Amino acid sequence: MRGRERSLAKAIGLIESGRSIDVVGARGSGRSAFFTALSTQMSERGWSVLFIRGVASLRASPFAAIALAGVVQTPPPSRMDGVAERVAHQLIERVRDQRAVIFLDDWNDLDESSWGVIEYVRGVTGVPVVISRLLGLRARQTPSGLSASTMAHTSAIDMLPLRFEDLDDVIRAYLGGPVDAATSRRIYAKSGGNVGLALAIVDATVRDGRLNKLDGDVWTAVGELWSPALRSVVEMHLEDLGSEARDAVEIIAIIGNPDLETVRRLVDWETLEFLEERAMIAFVRAVPSNLVSVIPPLFVSYFRHEPLTARRIRLTERIAATLGDGFESAEGLGEWGGAQVSETRDALFAGMLRENAATRRLVAAYEWEKNPTVRTATGYIAVLSQSGQKQSAATIARVLAETDAHSGDVASRAEYCRLRARWTAYGLGDVDGAIALLDSEAAELSSFGRILDATRISILADLRSVPTGFEAELDVADGLPIPVQLALLEAQVHVLTLVGRLREAQGAFRELRRLDPHRERFEARILASVAQLASGAFETGYRDLLNGLDEARGALDLDAFRAFSCGAAYARLHAGDTQELGDLIDVALSTGALAPLPPGGRAMILVAGAMLAAGRGQVALCAKYRTLARQESVVGGAFPGQSLAWIDAAMATLEGRPEDGAALLWDDALSLRRRGALFAAQLGMLAAIEISPTPERLAEAQRVLDEAPDTVVLRAQADYHVAVANRDASALRDAGVALERYGRFGVAVAAYRTLGGWAAEDQDRAAEAEAARLERGVVTRRGNRPVNAIRFAADATRLTKRERQVADLVAAGMNNQEIASTLVVSVRTVESHVYRIMRKLEVGSRELIGPRLAGVNGSA
């Protein structure tokens, strides 16, 4: 009974003192398992246990439950007169003069006659009675709700949702092996801690092949945690809801975490109170109004995947009619809400992150004020550093001034010095001061001084240049303390990824996990996942980054959320998957002031935002990100996408200066190359070539790619640019296939569109059809999710917003009539837009609009 130990001990104590108990919980909460464990414990303690189970189908049959349990001899049908008295007297004889207890499982399904006799026996003998009933169905005197003048005094044992750690142990035991942390958190979040639902999810996803052993060892989930096999499980929870209550649950699920005022216009208070008693909805504190959420989230998945068309139309029409123009149309609601819902949900999450971080700051401050040692100071500074340089600099300075740097063991002192140096370098911008601090302290810490050596190399690699011979300084020798080995391995992952030695970086991360499999080192994990993306292992790297983001969200861990937001932003840009990138950027930026740690993290978020805005032609938004970076003195990093040159280049192209943008990125890439940051240099060079390709730039980029050949995805992208420059259709097709295999879907789509444009120019209908088939294949394999094939929108930004919409629909293959129906305009208006688009893009036919946009602009 993992997670129920205290409840089990409490129940045993109550029974032994002669008290009756109500075990209360939702379906799947583990009431029956708890009942079985409790009855077994009482039997082992010498008690006589009478176990009776209610059966819904036999409610109308007098004494059915008692008869089936075999605890008394029931009379034959011909002698039913006075049967209640005879059954009661037999039951009294069973429990008199001995330690006895009566267990009633599924009390709600018990027939009235059996319950009446048991209540009488309890009143006469004082025998304790343990009943199991559903949450929200009040402890009435009888199962069917008949009124009575007295009620026996009982104690309630609530089957609350399990904690994450307890549910994780249950799932591990059930599967017979370890489960990766991200998968455990996803199951926990989906089930709401309900053990029955969690195990049902496990069973269904194992059968469907969505939960399997990775490398034959760790269980890992792939894809969404939903299966049609879960339908009956959810329907069991919903089956006894009245029509109003069921409608209310589905309406709240459709709208998606609506505020209470909105819900009150659709659902009456009595229904809301009933659903809250049944633990099927929860009220979440938010500003300015409380939000209402369906729990557990598995129910939302059920409504999303198993809609009944007539019900959905009826409910969405009801929502639209009640809420009026302030919400989306019924059709939009049928597709699960619009931007307003998403914004409300994201604002709620960002607020929860900030509140959780504020609580951590208060706790850390109290611990340090009470006992100002290096251990408490390290915890306090780590939390403060997430508040932004301007907000926390003064407090951190006071903590450093008032903490005795020698007040702890060498391991604690090393960690304290490491954090001080990182804050000095990344937070205050004093690299020389940070290096001097590390050098002066390392000699006093014996072997733990190697932790400071590792920190020094990482700081120099990020902010100056990669130290020559770093491999020897980061070598993990036998006999070093485990914390020292871990710090050296973390630094290896950091620097090896930076210089583009991706296979070695992944090997160092595997060793890191082997030495300390239970501690999550998210910075190293993110780098290892990015290395997988760049080395061609797309599915593994992409999944781990998004799982890590979900895990951080579930834990409300601000540090991890910001770090994984950077990794997830890189992954989505890598794949050309910008559908959710905008929301991710908004939430990351709304979690508080820019923070210097993790290094380069906030720069990455702003760069991703600028790139997304540039691809959409949003000049004002891109300028906003550039201004924000300058105002808050954001320091770029040496990893891909962390240089502010990307924002400046995006703005230059948006302003009609593509050559300037290309030059900015090219010069920045050359600077990174001189510093040894080859991975970022390679990506920057290819971006410059996207904007303004020249033979000289292509040749130089290929030489830099040869210096760090592990970045096979970037090599495929270079092949794409070479094929375009040479107008080599066969090579372009091969590059597109390779890019698609590596998850670089945006560039692959751009390649196929360019092929289609060449074929149209050559009037090669077969080749044009083949290119269209390849492009459709990418979209289909991505589950029909939009694939962004535009990054630096140099040409597209000359189009108006409406022209851009029309151009996208033309590129998708729609004719003028279809576009007119989609945009609800006249065909003549569409014809005018198409003519202006062709003139602005300097193409001679509508068939070349898509290839023109894709061929010039590249991909995210």
Side-chain angles (χ1 to χ4, degrees):
M1 288 304 295
R2 177 64 174 169
R4 307 289 191 201
E5 295 87 353
R6 295 182 62 181
S7 296
L8 195 61
K10 177 182 177 182
I12 292 170
L14 289 170
I15 294 172
E16 291 184 332
S17 64
R19 298 283 292 274
S20 293
I21 299 172
D22 284 9
V23 178
V24 185
R27 296 187 191 276
S29 60
R31 288 177 298 121
S32 294
F34 183 86
F35 237 51
T36 301
L38 180 58
S39 64
T40 300
Q41 287 277 344
M42 299 314 298
S43 295
E44 292 175 351
R45 291 169 179 265
W47 284 64
S48 175
V49 176
L50 308 183
F51 200 99
I52 301 170
R53 188 186 304 276
V55 182
S57 300
L58 298 178
R59 283 177 184 166
S61 302
F63 307 108
I66 289 182
L68 291 174
V71 298
V72 298
Q73 294 290 327
T74 55
S78 59
R79 299 183 56 190
M80 294 303 291
D81 55 306
V83 64
E85 294 89 339
R86 288 196 292 275
V87 170
H89 289 151
Q90 288 185 61
L91 195 55
I92 289 172
E93 290 299 318
R94 288 288 307 272
V95 303
R96 178 177 289 168
D97 299 329
Q98 62 177 318
R99 293 195 302 173
V101 57
I102 299 175
F103 277 75
L104 294 179
D105 199 7
D106 293 329
W107 172 84
N108 308 95
D109 296 330
L110 197 65
D111 64 275
E112 286 287 347
S113 299
S114 294
W115 175 244
V117 166
I118 292 168
E119 268 289 76
Y120 173 76
V121 172
R122 174 162 61 178
V124 171
T125 65
V127 62
V129 176
V130 183
I131 71 172
S132 164
R133 60 180 175 85
L134 283 174
L135 181 69
L137 302 180
R138 294 175 179 83
R140 305 184 182 99
Q141 189 64 18
T142 73
S144 64
L146 298 176
S147 59
S149 59
T150 62
M151 177 179 289
H153 180 65
T154 63
S155 297
I157 301 289
D158 291 319
M159 294 289 99
L160 299 174
L162 291 181
R163 297 181 306 159
F164 169 73
E165 294 82 2
D166 295 329
L167 186 62
D168 183 50
D169 285 344
V170 170
I171 295 172
R172 285 169 179 259
Y174 189 75
L175 290 172
V179 183
D180 75 77
T183 297
S184 289
R185 288 204 177 276
R186 291 176 65 197
I187 295 173
Y188 179 78
K190 183 72 75 173
S191 66
N194 182 299
V195 64
L197 290 179
L199 295 181
I201 291 171
V202 168
D203 280 336
T205 51
V206 168
R207 286 196 299 271
D208 288 355
R210 296 186 182 184
L211 181 63
N212 45 60
K213 284 190 176 183
L214 186 66
D215 298 327
D217 184 20
V218 179
W219 288 90
T220 303
V222 179
E224 188 179 0
L225 293 178
W226 172 258
S227 165
L230 293 167
R231 183 189 302 118
S232 60
V233 176
V234 177
E235 288 173 349
M236 179 184 70
H237 287 254
L238 302 174
E239 63 187 0
D240 58 349
L241 294 182
S243 59
E244 279 300 312
R246 185 182 175 108
D247 282 358
V249 174
E250 189 162 357
I251 284 170
I252 295 169
I254 289 174
I255 300 177
N257 296 334
D259 61 78
L260 181 57
E261 181 181 352
T262 298
V263 174
R264 280 287 299 114
R265 295 169 63 185
L266 293 159
V267 183
D268 60 73
W269 274 116
E270 184 178 358
T271 302
L272 288 176
E273 291 172 5
F274 171 74
L275 292 175
E276 186 179 23
E277 289 176 350
R278 291 289 301 270
M280 300 186 77
I281 61 171
F283 294 90
V284 183
R285 292 180 59 189
V287 177
S289 174
N290 288 344
L291 302 183
V292 185
S293 177
V294 172
I295 54 174
L298 182 66
F299 292 174
V300 178
S301 295
Y302 167 79
F303 291 126
R304 184 186 299 270
H305 289 89
E306 306 293 333
L308 297 173
T309 303
R311 276 186 61 83
R312 180 58 49 79
I313 294 173
R314 174 174 65 82
L315 293 178
T316 52
E317 287 182 349
R318 174 178 166 184
I319 294 169
T322 303
L323 302 182
D325 296 334
F327 275 68
E328 300 290 322
S329 65
E331 180 182 0
L333 285 169
E335 296 174 0
W336 294 85
Q340 180 173 349
V341 172
S342 176
E343 290 169 5
T344 301
R345 184 165 54 247
D346 289 342
L348 168 64
F349 172 69
M352 293 170 67
L353 272 176
R354 291 194 299 270
E355 290 181 9
N356 191 50
T359 301
R360 289 178 59 199
R361 281 196 299 273
L362 289 173
V363 172
Y366 171 76
E367 291 181 346
W368 178 78
E369 295 283 359
K370 183 177 65 173
N371 183 27
T373 64
V374 293
R375 184 188 62 80
T376 58
T378 299
Y380 193 15
I381 294 172
V383 175
L384 286 170
S385 64
Q386 287 297 320
S387 303
Q389 196 273 343
K390 294 179 180 178
Q391 291 77 5
S392 55
T395 306
I396 291 178
R398 182 173 74 88
V399 174
L400 294 175
E402 298 179 13
T403 299
D404 180 0
H406 296 85
S407 56
D409 57 50
V410 288
S412 300
R413 288 165 55 192
E415 185 60 29
Y416 174 66
C417 186
R418 173 181 178 273
L419 186 57
R420 284 178 61 191
R422 282 164 60 88
W423 170 254
T424 302
Y426 300 113
L428 304 180
D430 183 3
V431 179
D432 290 336
I435 300 305
L437 170 65
L438 292 166
D439 287 342
S440 65
E441 295 290 330
E444 299 182 12
L445 297 175
S446 184
S447 60
F448 281 86
R450 296 289 305 280
I451 293 177
L452 306 191
D453 295 337
T455 306
R456 174 175 51 80
I457 290 173
S458 291
I459 290 174
L460 288 173
D462 276 337
L463 302 178
R464 294 281 175 81
S465 63
V466 177
T468 303
F470 71 87
E471 299 91 341
E473 292 197 68
L474 297 180
D475 181 55
V476 180
D478 294 337
L480 286 174
I482 292 297
V484 177
Q485 294 186 51
L486 297 174
L488 292 169
L489 287 168
E490 285 182 300
Q492 284 185 26
V493 174
H494 183 106
V495 182
L496 289 169
T497 305
L498 190 147
V499 301
R501 291 158 58 176
L502 305 184
R503 291 187 177 86
E504 293 177 68
Q506 293 174 64
F509 182 68
R510 287 192 293 271
E511 179 64 12
L512 184 69
R513 277 198 158 173
R514 186 191 67 80
L515 286 176
D516 193 6
H518 301 297
R519 180 179 172 186
E520 185 55 66
R521 300 171 183 275
F522 54 80
E523 289 185 31
R525 174 181 170 187
I526 292 165
L527 292 176
S529 298
V530 168
Q532 288 179 314
L533 288 178
S535 61
F538 171 74
E539 290 295 342
T540 304
Y542 192 73
R543 180 187 64 213
D544 195 47
L545 286 168
L546 298 189
N547 283 351
L549 183 67
D550 287 343
E551 183 180 345
R553 289 179 70 102
L556 290 179
D557 186 333
L558 180 60
D559 301 15
F561 176 77
R562 284 176 169 168
F564 274 107
S565 293
C566 300
Y570 178 90
R572 293 194 184 284
L573 287 170
H574 173 101
D577 181 6
T578 57
Q579 185 172 3
E580 298 179 12
L581 180 59
D583 290 340
L584 173 63
I585 293 168
D586 289 342
V587 175
L589 290 175
S590 64
T591 55
L594 296 177
L597 296 174
R602 295 295 271 178
M604 178 68 211
I605 290 297
L606 292 176
V607 166
M611 297 303 297
L612 182 62
R616 294 172 173 174
Q618 298 169 315
V619 181
L621 183 56
C622 191
K624 171 188 171 183
Y625 290 129
R626 181 175 65 176
T627 300
L628 185 59
R630 298 294 187 266
Q631 286 178 345
E632 304 209 22
S633 302
V634 174
V635 177
F639 283 94
Q642 291 185 347
S643 171
L644 300 186
W646 287 79
I647 300 180
D648 295 333
M651 276 303 304
T653 57
L654 286 171
E655 293 167 350
R657 298 181 290 109
E659 282 296 337
D660 291 344
L664 284 167
L665 279 172
W666 187 260
D667 291 343
D668 181 66
L670 292 177
S671 174
L672 288 166
R673 181 190 186 187
R674 288 191 294 269
R675 292 167 51 187
L678 293 178
F679 186 5
Q682 292 171 345
L683 194 65
M685 286 181 166
L686 292 174
I689 291 168
E690 286 182 35
I691 301 172
S692 181
T694 68
E696 294 77 17
R697 284 175 177 166
L698 270 172
E700 183 65 16
Q702 288 179 309
R703 282 192 289 270
V704 176
L705 285 165
D706 290 339
E707 294 174 16
D710 286 354
T711 53
V712 296
V713 177
L714 300 186
R715 169 63 71 180
Q717 186 171 343
D719 293 341
Y720 155 74
H721 292 302
V722 171
V724 171
N726 296 334
R727 210 178 191 279
D728 185 336
S730 176
L732 183 57
R733 186 188 188 282
D734 291 343
V737 171
L739 288 163
E740 184 180 350
R741 183 171 67 252
Y742 296 147
R744 204 83 160 106
F745 302 112
V747 192
V749 168
Y752 297 148
R753 287 181 181 174
T754 301
L755 278 175
W758 291 349
E761 291 176 355
D762 298 338
Q763 297 185 349
D764 186 341
R765 301 307 176 196
E768 190 177 0
E770 172 66 7
R773 184 190 66 79
L774 290 169
E775 181 181 343
R776 284 196 304 272
V778 176
V779 176
T780 300
R781 279 187 285 279
R782 294 290 292 156
N784 291 319
R785 293 169 61 87
V787 177
N788 181 40
I790 295 174
R791 174 159 64 181
F792 297 104
D795 285 335
T797 51
R798 299 206 298 266
L799 305 179
T800 67
K801 183 177 180 180
R802 176 60 87 181
E803 288 169 351
R804 181 61 208 228
Q805 288 178 304
V806 173
D808 286 341
L809 296 176
V810 170
M814 288 189 179
N815 60 37
N816 288 351
Q817 179 63 58
E818 291 169 333
I819 295 172
S821 299
T822 300
L823 299 180
V824 196
V825 296
S826 69
V827 174
R828 181 177 292 273
T829 299
V830 174
E831 290 173 349
S832 298
H833 284 314
V834 172
Y835 172 76
R836 287 194 296 271
I837 292 166
M838 290 168 57
R839 188 179 60 190
K840 288 183 178 181
L841 297 183
E842 300 177 354
V843 295
S845 68
R846 66 182 290 128
E847 288 77 14
L848 299 180
I849 290 175
R852 175 63 172 164
L853 290 174
V856 176
N857 298 319
S859 146

